[in-house]
Amino acid sequence: MVKVPVRLVSWDEIVKWSWGLAKKIRQAGYNPGVIIAIARGGYVPARLLCDFLGIENLISIQSQHWTEAAKKSERAIIKFEYKVNLENMKALLVDDIIDTGESVILARDYIIREWKPKELKIAALQWISPVAKIKPDFYYLEVKEWVWFQYPWTRLEDVTQFLKRMLTEESKNKKEWKYIEIIRKFIEWYGIEVDEEYYKEALRTLIEKGLLEKRDEIFIVKV
Ligand code: AMP
C-alpha cells in the first residue's frame, strides 16, 4: 500500500509540457517582455519558456511555502526582497505547479505592489484545481487528484526527505536495515523507483546528518 502518492516526472515530460504551455501562451496572444521565475520550482519551466517564446529577459523571485517534499510549512514568505522597475513591461510569472496557490499569490501581490508591471499574467505547468486558491492564466495540465510530482530537478532532495520520513516512522518497529530492505520499503511507501545513485547519496546525507549510522552494511536508525 502506497503511503504517499508520488508521480515521477521525467525531463522529457518537462520539455513536452513546457512546449504545450508555450503554445497556449502564444495562441492567447500574450507577449511578455519579461519572465519572472518563482524560485526554485519555476526556474526550469521559466527558462524553457524563454527559449520557446523567444524572450530574453528573465528575473526571479523566491516565494517559499513547501519546505519539505509533500509536507508544507505554515505560510509562504518572500525570501529576498529587492526592487526592479517593470512599469513599462508586460510580465509573466512562472511556476512549476500551483498547489495551494499561496506562493504564487504572495509573489503576484508583491510584484504588482513593488515592481508595478504594466500587466502580469501567471503560467504554470500544472494546476491542482480542487485545492488551488487561484487559477493561473495559463497552465498545461489540470490535476484533479492530489499527488506529489517528483520533478527531476528536486530528485535528490525529495528522495532524502522521503527516506528520512519513512525510516523515522518505521523505526518504531524496526531500527536495523539492510540496503535492499530500505529500497523495498521505499518502493512500497512511495510507489516510485529512482536511479541507485539517488538512494546512495540520500543515505550518505542521512548518515552525515546523524539520523543513520552504518555498521557492517547495516543501516541503524538513530531516533
Ligand atoms: P503552493 O504554494 O502550495 O502552490 O506550492 C508551492 C511550491 O511547492 C510549488 O511551486 C512547487 O514547487 C512545490 N509543490 C507544491 N505542491 C506540490 C506537488 N503536489 N508536487 C510537486 N511540487 C509541489
Side-chain angles (χ1 to χ4, degrees):
M1 245 301 268
V2 170
K3 292 218 180 185
V4 182
V6 180
R7 155 87 154 78
L8 207 62
V9 181
S10 70
W11 285 111
D12 283 352
E13 281 175 305
I14 292 301
V15 174
K16 184 171 158 237
W17 298 354
S18 300
W19 268 119
L21 183 59
K23 221 177 259 174
K24 288 190 174 188
I25 296 164
R26 202 177 322 108
Q27 275 163 3
Y30 193 60
N31 196 5
V34 60
I35 286 186
I36 308 166
I38 299 187
R40 296 173 292 165
Y43 266 54
V44 175
R47 183 62 187 89
L48 290 173
L49 286 181
C50 283
D51 192 24
F52 301 160
L53 295 171
I55 294 166
E56 261 188 29
N57 299 321
L58 173 62
I59 58 175
S60 164
I61 186 162
Q62 187 150 18
S63 169
Q64 210 174 33
H65 185 207
W66 299 74
T67 50
E68 271 185 37
K71 210 175 178 191
K72 66 176 170 169
S73 72
E74 287 296 300
R75 61 189 188 91
I77 50 158
I78 299 288
K79 270 186 104 176
F80 303 98
E81 297 193 8
Y82 65 100
K83 260 199 139 127
V84 283
N85 184 353
L86 299 182
E87 263 165 34
N88 297 315
M89 285 185 135
K90 284 189 189 179
L92 183 67
L93 183 60
V94 176
D95 210 349
D96 47 5
I97 187 165
I98 296 184
D99 187 326
T100 65
E102 279 166 26
S103 320
V104 82
I105 290 171
L106 189 76
R108 178 201 62 190
D109 293 349
Y110 179 83
I111 291 163
I112 289 172
R113 194 176 64 238
E114 302 289 335
W115 298 356
K116 301 184 171 52
K118 195 159 79 182
E119 193 174 357
L120 181 69
K121 288 194 185 283
I122 297 169
L125 296 179
Q126 294 174 286
W127 168 51
I128 311 190
S129 55
V131 293
K133 292 177 189 147
I134 184 173
K135 182 179 181 183
D137 299 286
F138 309 107
Y139 58 90
Y140 181 65
L141 291 173
E142 176 177 355
V143 178
K144 298 238 170 94
E145 251 174 73
W146 192 92
V147 298
W148 183 262
F149 289 92
Q150 204 304 292
Y151 297 118
W153 50 79
T154 178
R155 189 144 300 158
L156 180 58
E157 194 176 309
D158 284 2
V159 170
T160 308
Q161 284 165 4
F162 285 163
L163 280 172
K164 181 178 168 196
R165 200 179 316 164
M166 177 190 95
L167 289 168
T168 306
E169 181 136 346
E170 293 287 339
S171 72
K172 290 170 196 157
N173 308 314
K174 180 174 166 68
K175 289 212 183 297
E176 300 195 358
W177 296 78
K178 288 188 199 139
Y179 175 76
I180 188 70
E181 292 175 326
I182 295 179
I183 306 311
R184 281 201 200 111
K185 191 52 87 181
F186 180 92
I187 296 165
E188 192 184 309
W189 261 61
Y190 301 106
I192 59 163
E193 273 181 81
V194 298
D195 288 346
E196 190 151 39
E197 59 188 321
Y198 289 100
Y199 300 123
K200 294 218 157 130
E201 184 60 22
L203 289 169
R204 198 194 57 73
T205 304
L206 294 178
I207 290 170
E208 202 174 87
K209 289 193 172 150
L211 183 98
L212 281 180
E213 200 184 303
K214 194 173 176 199
R215 238 185 275 152
D216 304 330
E217 299 307 307
I218 298 290
F219 294 88
I220 304 156
V221 186
K222 307 299 285 176
V223 284

